[in-house]
Amino acid sequence: MYIIQNAHLYGPEDMGIQDVLIGGGQILKIGEHLPVEPAYDVEVIDGSGMVLMPGLIDAHVHILGGGGEGGAKTRTPEITLTDITMGGVTTVVGCLGTDGCTRTMSNLLAKAKGLEEEGITTYVYTGSYQVPVRTLTGSIMDDIILLEKVVGTGEIAIADHRSSQPTREEFAKIVADTRVGGILSAKAGLVNIHMGDGKEQLAFLRYVLEETQISPSNMLPTHINRKISLMQDGIDYAKELGGYIDLTTSFDAEHLEPDEVKASTGLKMALDAGVSPEHVTFSSDGQGSLPIFGPDGSFAGLGVGKVTSLYQEMRDAVLTEGVLLTDALKAVTSNPAKLLKLERKGRIARKADADLVLAEEGTLRIHTVIAKGQVMVSGGRAVVRGTFER
């Protein structure tokens, strides 16, 4: 059991300075000047001068690695536990990407289970870029209903030269099957959608909302900030149709495209344009490849996404862009928790999971990370490492 004393709580709403008692993997009590009972062997963590936030949720992580656009040698490596926890992330959703052949759903589920055993919370999407969707059971609905960790489908690629070039009707059928699978399993039924830089932009999502009865909450288009025109279309989509947009936090600083928008800047743009703070999320694309293509579409180079970028961009939104901490936090805590229907995640509340991040109030540098009630990072250093980490 731990008691965090005198921290400024953002749950993500501003809750003032309070103490938080945790035990058994959950938040037991919140209040001012909570008593410390020596008989219960409670360890005290001094939160004075710090902010206490919910653990971050990263809804798009290539936990198996990704890439391969430049051949087998460019397949990025699997993620490690500290790649995740050092960035304040306590819940991830694993996905496949371009390669749904050498990286499979069986591999993805095994990796997710391994990370869960090491101390964080994990879920996965079924499928990859490809359409028809490659599933484990042969059916999107069956995967979602029968496999505990599967919460949706993704990442389905559209408007991209690497996609299967599905029709609007094929895309709508994927979203419909995912939604029904979610309904029948009491899960999110969320489709995570890889947005390329094609001229059709968000037309497929508009088609679904205008021609069917499916809710915007069943679709989350990611990489919206890959170019300014797509960012603007995403803002219009969120405002006009109540859609949700996801901004990618990993980027290659050495090869930043002239019209590419950092996630922190994109959040500021969206909020200034009148998009609801509840309709924007961040995800890292962690451990995925950051391929560089020439004008003719040929492979020119490769970088690797980092989960730690999720916290960095949230922090930059506050310290550089002037976004309120409450709004910036929503993009990485309560908003993805709501879309993924994770009722015990993304907030500081009694009986919520004890997933917490303690950071310096002025700089927002991470001091302590707690996942499912276990201290994973202390004093800015990893105290729990993955099975094969030194």
Side-chain angles (χ1 to χ4, degrees):
M1 297 176 70
Y2 296 93
I3 185 166
I4 304 167
Q5 294 181 327
N6 302 316
H8 192 156
L9 273 57
Y10 285 87
E13 68 282 359
D14 189 341
M15 301 169 66
I17 296 176
Q18 299 193 69
D19 297 348
V20 176
L21 176 67
I22 65 176
Q26 66 178 335
I27 296 173
L28 301 175
K29 196 170 185 178
I30 302 169
E32 296 181 8
H33 310 299
L34 295 180
V36 179
E37 297 290 347
Y40 293 106
D41 193 24
V42 178
E43 183 173 334
V44 176
I45 297 175
D46 185 9
S48 301
M50 298 189 185
V51 295
L52 186 67
M53 305 167 280
L56 275 59
I57 300 169
D58 196 339
H60 185 117
V61 183
H62 295 274
I63 57 177
L64 281 177
E69 289 93 341
K73 68 181 180 182
T74 64
R75 296 168 80 250
T76 64
E78 291 188 9
I79 203 164
T80 63
L81 180 67
T82 59
D83 290 335
I84 298 168
T85 57
M86 288 296 289
V89 174
T90 55
T91 300
V92 297
V93 184
C95 60
L96 302 177
T98 315
D99 182 3
C101 176
T102 68
R103 303 186 192 274
T104 67
M105 281 301 300
S106 297
N107 299 152
L108 187 66
L109 278 171
K111 179 64 177 180
K113 288 180 178 180
L115 288 169
E116 184 101 29
E117 290 172 3
E118 289 177 336
I120 63 170
T121 302
T122 62
Y123 300 94
V124 301
Y125 300 113
T126 188
S128 56
Y129 274 23
Q130 284 77 40
V131 176
V133 177
R134 295 188 178 190
T135 65
L136 195 61
T137 65
S139 159
I140 289 174
M141 278 195 277
D142 287 359
D143 273 17
I144 296 172
I145 295 168
L146 300 176
L147 304 176
E148 182 180 358
K149 286 194 174 295
V150 179
V151 294
T153 307
E155 59 175 312
I156 302 298
I158 60 175
D160 194 293
H161 64 94
R162 293 165 291 173
S163 81
S164 297
Q165 311 303 325
T167 65
R168 295 183 181 189
E169 292 76 14
E170 287 174 323
F171 176 75
K173 183 65 164 58
I174 291 169
V175 180
D177 286 351
T178 303
R179 174 178 170 79
V180 174
I183 291 172
L184 294 177
S185 59
K187 294 180 183 176
L190 182 68
V191 181
N192 188 269
I193 304 155
H194 166 100
M195 295 302 307
D197 57 7
K199 62 182 179 180
E200 54 268 57
Q201 297 187 324
L202 291 162
F204 278 35
L205 285 80
R206 294 176 185 274
Y207 171 81
V208 171
L209 296 184
E210 292 167 358
E211 301 297 328
T212 76
Q213 298 75 45
I214 293 171
S215 166
S217 62
N218 289 109
M219 297 183 291
L220 185 61
T222 190
H223 315 321
I224 289 293
N225 53 317
R226 73 183 310 140
K227 59 188 302 185
I228 191 68
S229 58
L230 181 58
M231 183 74 217
Q232 187 57 59
D233 194 37
I235 289 172
D236 294 341
Y237 167 77
K239 289 175 63 178
E240 295 168 6
L241 298 175
Y244 295 82
I245 55 175
D246 184 68
L247 310 183
T248 301
T249 58
S250 290
F251 63 95
D252 189 335
E254 294 182 2
H255 299 93
L256 192 67
E257 297 295 330
D259 62 349
E260 189 176 353
V261 182
K262 287 186 63 182
S264 51
T265 305
L267 176 60
K268 174 67 171 174
M269 288 174 57
L271 296 178
D272 286 350
V275 174
S276 168
E278 280 74 32
H279 281 244
V280 183
T281 63
F282 283 3
S283 66
S284 72
D285 203 13
Q287 218 62 23
S289 65
L290 303 176
I292 303 162
F293 295 102
D296 61 352
S298 61
F299 177 78
L302 189 72
V304 181
K306 301 294 184 184
V307 169
T308 51
S309 68
L310 191 73
Y311 189 86
Q312 291 168 0
E313 284 297 296
M314 184 280 293
R315 183 171 175 257
D316 283 353
V318 176
L319 300 182
T320 304
E321 301 293 340
V323 175
L324 293 174
L325 178 57
T326 50
D327 288 341
L329 271 178
K330 287 176 182 177
V332 292
T333 59
S334 58
N335 290 353
K338 180 180 178 182
L339 283 171
L340 292 165
K341 292 190 176 180
L342 307 179
E343 296 180 356
R344 294 166 60 93
K345 302 291 185 182
R347 61 195 180 99
I348 297 178
R350 186 171 175 271
K351 293 187 178 181
D353 285 349
D355 295 339
L356 300 164
V357 176
L358 192 65
E360 298 173 6
E361 190 156 22
T363 64
L364 294 181
R365 290 194 185 95
I366 292 176
H367 181 276
T368 302
V369 178
I370 299 172
K372 297 194 289 186
Q374 180 181 11
V375 174
M376 311 296 283
V377 175
S378 180
R381 296 182 178 182
V383 294
V384 176
R385 296 184 177 274
T387 308
F388 297 104
E389 291 188 85
R390 293 183 179 179

